[in-house]
Every structure is written in C-alpha cells, then in structure tokens.
Amino acid sequence: MSLQALRAALDRGDDAAALGALDTLGSADHAGAAPLALHLGRPSLAVRWAGDPLTLAAAWLRLGDPRAALGALRGQKGGARPALLRARAAWQLGQEDAAELAAHARRLARAEGDAGALAAAATLLGEVMLWTDPRAALRALAEGLKVAELAGTGADPHLLAVLAHTQAAVGSREKAARTAAKALDRSLPRSPARVLALLALGREEEARAEAREGELGDVWGRAFLVGDQAR
C-alpha cells in the first residue's frame, strides 16, 4: 500500500481500509504517515515513525507518557502548539501549574491567530477546571465554541465531550446528554473525544474498549469516570 492509498481511504471515510493501508505501508512512507497514524488512533506507530517533535509529543501524550512527551519537546521554541502540548503534559502529571500553562497556551494561540490551538487550549482549560470550578470551565469552553462559530466550522468533538461533562457537573444533565451525543457522532474511532463522549453518556465499558483500541493511557478517562474526581 502507498501513502496515497491511505489518504484516499481517509478522504472517503473508510476506517477499515485506512487501517489496512496504514499497517501495510512501506518504510519509505512511514515519516509522512506519522500524523495520519495518530489521527487513526495508532499512537505507537506515530512514536516509531514521527520525525516532527510535535507529532511525537502528541503521540506520547495519547499513550499516557507525559515525561516522554516533554522530552520530545526539549529545545522547541515558544509557540502556541508546543506550549499546549507542555500544558497537557503538566495536566497528565498532576502539576498544580497545569491551568496556568494552559492559559499561557491560550494567550499565545490568540496572539498567533491559531484557531485550532485556541480551541484545544480552551478544551484543556475546561478539563483542568471541571471539578474545581465548573462554571469557569464553561466559560473557557464557550470561547472554543465561539472560535468554531467565527471560522464557520463545526465544534471540535473533544471540546464537545468535555463540555458535556461540565454541563452535567453544573446540573444540566439533559443538555449534557445532547452535547455528548453530538460529540460521539463527530468523534473519530479510538480517539480521546470518543472515549470522553461515551463516558459522558454513561457507557463506560464501551469507553474502555475504545480506549484500548486507541492505545490511550488511563489518564485520558480517569478524571471523567463517574464518581472519580481524583487524578
């Protein structure tokens, strides 16, 4: 299989064909396919293939190894996307400055006009503040929704999944269920967004199976499990 065949399968939304193409790529295509491996929920392949430090760090974070992610980012200059990855690593490590680092990444994304990084920073802030100040989390997530509205794109499914948990935390359970269903519909197989959406819908066994398939570290779902507010 070729990288072109992999991209064609992704373009037509054929997940099974895309996974098959990914698994049979020649070594010459591995570096170019690393971001696609991450997109398809195969972070271990992305770790093996990535030449780009940001892709490598993102893959390590999917696997739940924040120290390896920080190692991949060593020497990277300032910017919204490296800052965002460092902030998520801090969150996975349970550091007290995770919210501050996420807010810093958000400021950089605003300054750079990076809509994708801004939405991701809003999502991370929502995750960090969910149990300590859910209404502040709602305000952070609202900025991410506004970014999508201004860009004329659909809201990011990861953001929607976190929003569903936050809505439930403030007592809006019916609204949370609708938001979670929307997040599930938009999410990719084996992605953190799908796992969190399933957890918001109370479908824990499905969420665990999806996380296993996507090689996701336990940290992705731990803070969202019903009744578990510890990291």
Side-chain angles (χ1 to χ4, degrees), residues 28-98:
D29 288 325
H30 285 174
L36 303 180
L38 192 60
H39 179 81
L40 283 165
R42 291 289 184 265
S44 59
L45 287 180
V47 162
R48 286 162 48 193
W49 297 349
D52 167 31
L54 300 187
T55 301
L56 180 57
W60 279 122
L61 290 171
R62 285 278 188 109
L63 292 166
D65 192 337
R67 288 185 172 82
L70 291 172
L73 293 167
R74 193 173 295 119
Q76 288 296 296
K77 294 182 179 179
R81 295 192 178 242
L84 179 60
L85 292 166
R86 290 188 178 102
R88 183 163 287 283
W91 172 229
Q92 289 191 357
L93 287 165
Q95 293 179 195
E96 292 184 0
D97 63 348

Side-chain angles (χ1 to χ4, degrees), residues 142-157:
E143 182 176 9
L145 292 174
K146 187 66 175 177
V147 168
E149 180 183 337
L150 292 174
T153 60
D156 178 78

Side-chain angles (χ1 to χ4, degrees), residues 155-168 172-188 191 193-203 206:
D156 178 78
H158 191 170
L159 185 149
L160 288 174
V162 176
L163 177 60
H165 286 274
T166 311
Q167 289 168 333
S172 301
R173 294 196 174 276
E174 290 185 7
K175 184 181 290 186
R178 292 194 297 271
T179 302
K182 187 182 295 185
L184 184 62
D185 183 60
R186 296 183 184 183
S187 65
L188 292 169
S191 67
R194 180 156 295 188
V195 170
L196 299 187
L198 286 166
L199 287 174
L201 291 166
R203 293 157 60 177
E206 291 177 70

